[in-house]
Amino acid sequence: MSTETPNFDEMETVDAPDQSGDDDAEWIELDAGESIVGELRKRQETQEYDNDVLEIGRGLGDVVVMFSNGQIDRRLDTLAEKHGSAEGLVLGFKKTEETRTFTPNGQDEEVEFNLWEVRQLTE
């Protein structure tokens, strides 16, 4: 290495990754029986919606986003307690065909919802 200090203008620019999120990511909504597997890149709370938004990397350059829900959030919270964060883990999310019903507070009609499974790739 030279002892001479280089000139700033002659140095190579170091680019920073885009911090604005992956705006080109495809929004997905799984149907009953469908699943997705990938690295949980980001779990972001939103002010606009009740549920978090999950950014999932399925491979090089293949990033999708989907809404979380209470079932998924509880499992991600458990993983975060165990690992410090669920982000960075390879996870599988499946919207099962099994359903349950509940009656929301202040309403008379039941609402049906699908059960979700969350699985983690272990080493």
Side-chain angles (χ1 to χ4, degrees):
M1 182 169 156
S2 173
T3 57
E4 191 173 312
T5 303
N7 182 319
F8 181 83
D9 293 330
E10 295 172 353
M11 297 176 75
E12 185 176 328
T13 302
V14 177
D15 294 321
D18 182 11
Q19 297 294 316
S20 62
D22 197 329
D23 294 334
D24 295 332
E26 173 189 0
W27 276 91
I28 62 167
E29 185 174 333
L30 299 179
D31 291 325
E34 290 185 324
S35 63
I36 181 171
V37 173
E39 176 189 359
L40 180 60
R41 293 202 175 159
K42 187 187 315 181
R43 177 185 179 192
Q44 182 173 342
E45 291 184 34
T46 64
Q47 299 295 325
E48 190 173 344
Y49 304 104
D50 292 337
N51 297 315
D52 292 350
V53 174
L54 306 178
E55 185 176 290
I56 302 166
R58 299 188 293 188
L60 287 176
D62 184 14
V63 178
V64 295
V65 289
M66 65 182 251
F67 280 113
S68 186
N69 60 44
Q71 297 173 65
I72 293 172
D73 286 345
R74 286 188 294 279
R75 289 165 175 84
L76 293 178
D77 290 345
T78 299
L79 287 169
E81 288 174 12
K82 182 177 180 182
H83 298 282
S85 173
E87 293 177 359
L89 299 175
V90 176
L91 302 172
F93 302 91
K94 181 175 184 176
K95 184 176 186 178
T96 72
E97 294 184 17
E98 189 176 347
T99 61
R100 296 279 191 275
T101 60
F102 78 101
T103 304
N105 291 337
Q107 295 187 15
D108 296 329
E109 299 208 19
E110 288 187 332
V111 174
E112 184 176 59
F113 63 95
N114 291 79
L115 297 180
W116 283 78
E117 285 185 45
V118 177
R119 296 187 181 185
Q120 175 189 4
L121 180 66
T122 57
E123 299 168 15

